[in-house]
Amino acid sequence: QVNLVESGGGLVQAGGSLRLSCAASARTLSSNAMGWFRQAPGKEREFVAAITWIGSNTDYGDSVKGRFAISRDNAKNTVYLQMNSLKPEDTAIYYCAAGLTIATLTEGSWGQGTQVTVSS
C-alpha cells in the first residue's frame, strides 16, 4: 500500500483544459501501475487512464481517448492526467489508484479524490 495525494481539480468551461496530479509516497512493485478512475453522481465508477512504471504501458477509457493524456515523472513519483477538450459529461470526482498491474488497479491503493466540474 502507498499513500496517494491528488491535486489539480477545479471548475472549467467546456472546451477547456485541466491537469490532475497524483503523488505517490513511494514507488514499489505494488504501485507499478497508477491511474485514474472517475465517478459522477448516480453513475458507476469509470476507468479513465493508467500507466505503468515498468514498460511505460498506457491505457485509456474509450470516452477520453484522444482528449486525455497520462504521463509520469519518475523522480517525483507522480503521475499526471492532462485533460483537454473537456465536456460537461467529464464532470465527476476523479480518483487516483495504484496497483501491481493496470488490470488490478482497483485492488490497490486509492487517493481521496478531486472534483472536476465542467460547465456548459
Side-chain angles (χ1 to χ4, degrees):
Q1 297 285 324
V2 296
N3 291 323
L4 304 173
V5 179
E6 302 125 327
S7 60
L11 173 65
V12 64
Q13 289 188 332
S17 299
L18 279 176
R19 189 177 79 156
L20 305 182
S21 301
C22 176
S25 57
R27 181 148 55 96
T28 67
L29 186 59
S30 65
S31 62
N32 168 55
M34 289 181 65
W36 296 89
F37 292 78
R38 67 187 184 186
Q39 188 163 21
K43 295 188 176 181
E44 294 187 352
R45 183 176 61 195
E46 178 187 15
F47 171 73
V48 177
I51 189 168
T52 60
W53 297 110
I54 300 173
S56 299
N57 298 312
T58 59
D59 194 15
Y60 294 91
D62 289 340
S63 62
V64 305
K65 284 180 181 177
R67 300 188 298 124
F68 290 12
I70 191 167
S71 62
R72 69 187 194 197
D73 184 328
N74 292 351
K76 296 181 179 180
N77 289 344
T78 298
V79 170
Y80 303 98
L81 183 69
Q82 178 66 43
M83 306 185 293
N84 300 323
S85 302
L86 283 162
K87 306 174 182 179
E89 50 264 44
D90 293 318
T91 296
I93 299 176
Y94 284 69
Y95 296 92
C96 181
L100 180 61
T101 67
I102 291 177
T104 59
L105 268 178
T106 57
E107 301 172 16
S109 304
W110 290 88
Q112 78 284 359
T114 185
Q115 177 71 48
V116 171
T117 303
V118 184
S119 63
S120 57

